[in-house]
């Protein structure tokens, strides 16, 4: 076996936000909710039949926001080269590593993440639709988030009696949580092709599918909205469907990727939502919208996030840096790897391979 | 013997084809891997290169495989393909 020297990295991720702020002051007015602390370990041991091909790996890293802070970020690897970058159109934080030779391809990433529960104050919302430039960006369509044609037609129908952006968001949230359902047969978090879902009336899906429809409908009627790709970290007070761990706070979170959504209201800032987890609770708990638990969860996930989860980025249909052989990337909620021009199956952790664990400080 | 070699020469010169297939609805990098694997499973296919940006699959295969075989393989991935071009590749026959 060829042995390589391990390279180590230790970066204060939070410090980079001074130069490249990912959090706007728009979240600053949100009151601080319950704090939770998680220690996260990501391990990679890349496998591919072409063992000698140039291998590249892009790992999504947590974003720095008012509701989640990263500390003690470290990585070690036998990669030829590895570094942290956010040089992409969404400033999605990325740990990039490449291996030029054959042999084992190992990487371990560790960090501590401190989260605060999010509770939006909707009473501060105004009806203004004048949005800052960085917010207005989230009104634009992407390949998977169209805002015209049947998507717009449906959004207009859902919001025909809504006057303010908040009214529109409430109507769309109600429609999505009533009409969409979780389909466990969908691979990973789903593709999140909102145009296809609406045009072909595909109402079953997973978190990216449901969130993408929510976002596309909102953008179609002039309400800025975005998905946030991330991963569950620990137990939920509502349902095991929304996150779980053992009694010591240890959670095996491989495969725990989860996409949430936000929309923007003048005065209130970015409002957290999670229509997909309403659908997941219904399926997991074998309930309907009328069950008290589901009613509570449905109400809670319009304006609140239980922070047993962390967000990576809001990127969709974009190009990673350094530029991969295959582009654009649909979403960056999973590690992305290539051997020459061939893509590693990020939906198959054991084959890829990668594993993630999270230990909550209890 | 010489007569046989002369008769076989055209076949030996044009033993392979490059077939270009458009898979318009491929939407993510992983789709390229799935389509590539499906095309490589067609008997006679030597290699395939699939690119998301252009939505094209370029297949190198033995001469004469029917379009249907490629398109049915693509169909197993859930996508529709269209053959946009195919041309024979000249290959240096090894006579000696």
């Amino acid at each position: 076996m060829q042995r390589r020297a391990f390279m180590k990295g230790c970066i204060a991720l939070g410090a980079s936000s001074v130069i490249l702020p990912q959090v706007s002051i728009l979240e600053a007015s949100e009151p601080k909710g319950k704090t939770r602390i998680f220690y996260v370990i990501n391990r990679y041991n890349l496998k591919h039949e072409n063992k000698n091909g140039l291998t590249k790996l892009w790992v999504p890293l947590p974003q720095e926001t008012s509701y989640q802070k990263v500390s003690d970020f470290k990585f070690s690897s036998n990669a030829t080269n590895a570094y942290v970058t956010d040089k992409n159109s969404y400033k999605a934080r990325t740990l990039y590593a490449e291996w030029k030779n054959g042999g084992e391809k190992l990487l371990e990433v560790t960090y501590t993440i401190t989260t605060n529960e999010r509770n939006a104050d909707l009473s501060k919302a105004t009806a203004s639709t004048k949005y800052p430039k960085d917010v207005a960006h989230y009104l634009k369509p992407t390949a998977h988030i169209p805002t015209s044609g049947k998507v717009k037609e449906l959004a207009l129908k859902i919001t025909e009696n809504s006057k303010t952006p908040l009214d529109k968001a409430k109507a769309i949230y109600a429609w999505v949580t009533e009409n969409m359902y979780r389909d466990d047969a969908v691979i990973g978090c789903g593709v999140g092709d909102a145009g296809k879902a609406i045009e072909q009336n595909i109402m079953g899906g997973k978190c990216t599918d449901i969130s993408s429809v929510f976002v596309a409908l909102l953008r179609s009627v002039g309400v800025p909205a975005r998905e946030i790709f991330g991963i569950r970290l620990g137990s939920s007070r509502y349902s095991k469907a929304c996150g779980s761990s053992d009694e010591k706070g240890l959670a095996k979170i491989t495969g725990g990727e989860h996409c949430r959504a936000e929309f923007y209201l003048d005065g209130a800032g970015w409002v957290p939502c999670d229509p997909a987890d309403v659908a997941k609770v219904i399926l997991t708990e074998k309930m309907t919208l009328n069950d008290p638990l589901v009613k509570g969860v449905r109400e809670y996930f319009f304006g609140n996030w239980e922070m047993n989860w962390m967000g990576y980025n809001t990127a969709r249909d974009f190009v990673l840096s350094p530029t991969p052989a295959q582009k654009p990337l649909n979403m960056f909620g999973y590690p992305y790897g290539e051997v020459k021009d061939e893509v590693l199956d990020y939906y198959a952790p054991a084959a890829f391979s990668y594993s993630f664990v999270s230990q909550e400080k209890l | 013997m010489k007569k046989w070699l002369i008769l076989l020469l055209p076949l030996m010169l044009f033993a392979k084809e490059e077939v270009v297939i458009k898979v318009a609805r491929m939407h993510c990098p992983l789709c390229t891997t799935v389509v590539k694997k499906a095309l490589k499973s067609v008997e006679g296919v030597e290699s395939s290169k699939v690119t998301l940006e252009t939505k094209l699959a370029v297949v190198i295969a033995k001469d004469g495989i029917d379009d249907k075989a490629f398109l049915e393989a693509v169909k197993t991935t859930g996508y529709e393909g269209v053959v946009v071009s195919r041309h024979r590749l000249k290959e240096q026959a090894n006579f000696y």
Side-chain angles (χ1 to χ4, degrees):
Chain A
M1 185 184 78
Q2 190 184 353
R3 290 183 68 85
R4 288 201 208 104
F6 265 62
M7 62 190 304
K8 291 189 178 184
C10 177
I11 297 168
L13 278 182
S16 69
S17 65
V18 175
I19 308 161
L20 296 162
Q22 292 197 335
V23 198
S24 60
I25 50 166
L26 309 167
E27 290 164 359
S29 60
E30 217 171 270
K32 273 201 169 184
K34 190 193 171 199
T35 298
R36 296 174 74 168
I37 300 169
F38 303 90
Y39 177 66
V40 179
I41 305 173
N42 294 1
R43 289 194 182 97
Y44 297 87
N45 180 2
L46 302 190
K47 293 170 182 171
H48 190 269
E49 57 195 28
N50 183 1
K51 286 175 183 159
N52 297 318
L54 173 63
T55 304
K56 299 178 176 181
L57 175 68
W58 293 258
V59 174
L61 297 177
Q63 57 183 358
E64 191 79 15
T65 67
S66 61
Y67 56 85
Q68 65 175 46
K69 302 283 178 200
V70 185
S71 57
D72 307 322
F73 174 82
K74 288 174 192 160
F75 67 86
S76 65
S77 175
N78 63 352
T80 316
N81 190 16
Y83 57 88
V84 173
T85 178
D86 64 357
K87 285 182 183 169
N88 54 71
S89 57
Y90 285 87
K91 299 196 184 306
R93 275 190 182 141
T94 310
L95 173 59
Y96 172 73
E98 66 178 27
W99 290 261
K100 288 185 175 162
N101 304 311
E104 282 187 312
K105 296 166 179 70
L106 306 171
L107 171 69
E108 184 174 284
V109 188
T110 60
Y111 47 86
T112 299
I113 187 139
T114 304
T115 67
N116 286 296
E117 180 167 342
R118 294 189 69 187
N119 310 108
D121 185 353
L122 298 177
S123 69
K124 290 182 177 173
T126 79
S128 171
T129 53
K130 283 181 186 171
Y131 301 114
K133 197 179 167 189
D134 63 326
V135 172
H137 171 76
Y138 293 98
L139 284 168
K140 291 178 187 168
T142 75
H144 289 92
I145 308 286
T147 56
S148 56
K150 288 199 169 178
V151 177
K152 183 158 190 160
E153 215 174 276
L154 176 62
L156 288 171
K157 194 179 166 192
I158 294 167
T159 59
E160 60 188 350
N161 298 318
S162 308
K163 287 179 183 168
T164 66
L166 176 58
D167 292 342
K168 289 177 184 176
K170 277 181 182 170
I172 289 169
Y173 181 77
W175 187 90
V176 168
T177 49
E178 193 171 335
N179 289 279
M180 295 196 78
Y181 62 92
R182 183 176 171 90
D183 179 356
D184 264 345
V186 168
I187 296 170
C189 292
V191 170
D193 189 341
K196 187 180 174 185
I198 291 170
E199 278 165 26
Q200 299 181 18
N201 197 31
I202 303 167
M203 292 294 106
K206 282 197 183 160
C207 51
T208 304
D209 301 314
I210 294 171
S211 296
S212 73
V213 168
F214 181 63
V215 166
L217 291 170
L218 283 162
R219 287 187 192 181
S220 300
V221 290
V223 181
R226 61 192 184 187
E227 295 124 302
I228 300 197
F229 298 90
I231 192 162
R232 300 184 200 277
L233 295 170
S235 62
S236 165
R237 64 177 178 263
Y238 290 104
S239 163
K240 63 177 187 282
C242 305
S244 60
S245 65
D246 67 16
E247 69 280 2
K248 291 178 181 169
L250 180 69
K252 291 177 182 174
I253 57 170
T254 311
E257 290 84 358
H258 178 53
C259 172
R260 288 176 160 177
E262 286 181 315
F263 65 92
Y264 185 87
L265 295 175
D266 178 66
W270 285 106
V271 178
C273 283
D274 197 343
D277 259 4
V278 178
K280 194 174 182 192
V281 170
I282 290 172
L283 182 73
T284 309
E285 304 288 351
K286 297 181 176 65
M287 290 179 174
T288 70
L289 280 175
N290 296 321
D291 281 287
L293 174 68
V294 178
K295 275 185 181 175
V297 165
R298 191 184 187 197
E299 192 180 331
Y300 176 80
F301 279 133
F302 185 84
N304 305 283
W305 277 353
E306 185 184 17
M307 284 304 293
N308 58 337
W309 168 94
M310 66 175 169
Y312 292 138
N313 58 70
T314 59
R316 286 229 62 181
D317 303 313
F318 78 119
V319 180
L320 287 164
S321 174
T323 306
Q326 302 292 356
K327 59 186 177 182
L329 184 61
N330 170 33
M331 54 86 196
F332 191 34
Y334 290 79
Y336 179 74
E338 287 182 350
V339 179
K340 291 189 174 175
D341 65 337
E342 201 160 313
V343 181
L344 301 178
D345 186 354
Y346 40 82
Y347 291 135
F352 194 102
S353 70
Y354 60 83
S355 65
F356 307 150
V357 291
S358 162
Q359 173 63 62
E360 184 167 8
K361 189 179 174 186
L362 298 177
Chain B
M1 183 64 183
K2 274 187 180 175
K3 274 185 184 176
W4 280 109
L5 276 175
I6 291 164
L7 285 170
L8 286 170
L9 191 60
L11 290 174
M12 296 168 92
L13 283 171
F14 303 110
K16 288 181 189 172
E17 266 191 306
E18 182 189 88
V19 184
V20 180
I21 302 161
K22 183 95 177 173
V23 189
R25 288 200 68 102
M26 278 195 299
H27 53 74
C28 71
L30 210 49
C31 302
T32 63
T33 300
V34 177
V35 171
K36 184 175 180 169
K37 272 185 188 166
L39 286 167
K40 279 182 88 173
S41 71
V42 176
E43 199 180 332
V45 168
E46 200 173 276
S47 67
S48 69
K49 183 178 172 71
V50 185
T51 309
L52 178 63
E53 197 170 20
T54 58
K55 311 278 175 84
L56 292 176
V58 179
V59 179
I60 306 296
K62 75 175 184 186
D63 192 14
I65 297 174
D66 198 278
D67 281 0
K68 269 188 183 174
F70 298 118
L71 301 184
E72 277 171 15
V74 172
K75 210 170 186 175
T76 62
T77 66
Y79 298 111
E80 296 288 339
V82 177
V83 174
V84 291
S85 72
R86 53 190 303 167
H87 69 268
R88 287 170 171 165
L89 297 173
K90 283 184 185 176
E91 191 177 56
Q92 185 68 48
N94 185 9
F95 294 108
Y96 305 105

